[in-house]
Structures are given as structure tokens and as C-alpha cells.
Amino acid sequence: MSDTTAAALEKEDLRRTVADVLDVEEAELTDQAHFVDDLGVDSLMALEVMVVLEKKYAVKLDESELKEVVCLQKAYDLLAAKLQDA
């Protein structure tokens, strides 16, 4: 298996990556913390997160899918599905 398979998707690693991009503490980035309502993420920050995740996990995310990613758990679920289909 390569590093870009579903096995490489680890939630705590994803949490560290997203927290780093958003410049928030990992503890604030709970699975259900809403990016906009709870963390104050704007559209530019959200786009930056998606670009980083696309590069890191070698996936392509559609604009419609980006709108679904409102918390870490949703991001994890979407990436897991993308990597499984790859």
C-alpha cells in the first residue's frame, strides 16, 4: 500500500493538519466543531484547507463536496470515501 491509501488517513494526523492550516489549537478542533460557527473559518481559510488536503492525500474534491465539509468528521468521512474509491 502506498502512503495515499485509506490506511494513510488517520484522524489525529488530519486533525493536526487542519488545525495547523486554520491556526487553532488541536483541542479546539473536535470532531464535531463547526468550522464556521465554532472556529470562525471564512471561505478563504476553508479553501486553503481543501487545497492542503487535496495535495496531502492526492485526491480531487468537487465544489459541491467542499460545501459538505463543515467539521473534522465530515472531512474525514469524505477523504475516507475518496481514498477507498481511488
Side-chain angles (χ1 to χ4, degrees):
M1 264 189 189
S2 72
D3 287 342
T4 56
T5 62
L9 180 61
E10 205 272 319
K11 191 180 281 183
E12 292 311 309
D13 182 51
L14 178 62
R15 187 183 321 276
R16 279 189 295 277
T17 301
V18 174
D20 186 50
V21 173
L22 297 179
D23 197 27
V24 298
E25 294 293 323
E26 286 178 43
E28 289 181 70
L29 191 59
T30 64
D31 288 358
Q32 300 304 324
H34 194 279
F35 290 159
V36 175
D37 296 343
D38 298 332
L39 302 174
V41 173
D42 63 25
S43 58
L44 188 59
M45 291 167 71
L47 186 60
E48 187 177 348
V49 168
M50 292 306 119
V51 168
V52 168
L53 295 180
E54 284 182 331
K55 286 182 182 177
K56 180 171 182 151
Y57 296 103
V59 297
K60 180 69 181 129
L61 303 171
D62 297 327
E63 193 174 327
S64 61
E65 293 170 322
L66 300 183
K67 294 175 184 171
E68 297 173 22
V69 179
V70 296
C71 64
L72 186 73
Q73 186 62 50
K74 294 273 190 183
Y76 179 83
D77 292 344
L78 177 62
L79 287 168
K82 286 281 189 180
L83 291 169
Q84 190 174 21
D85 293 342

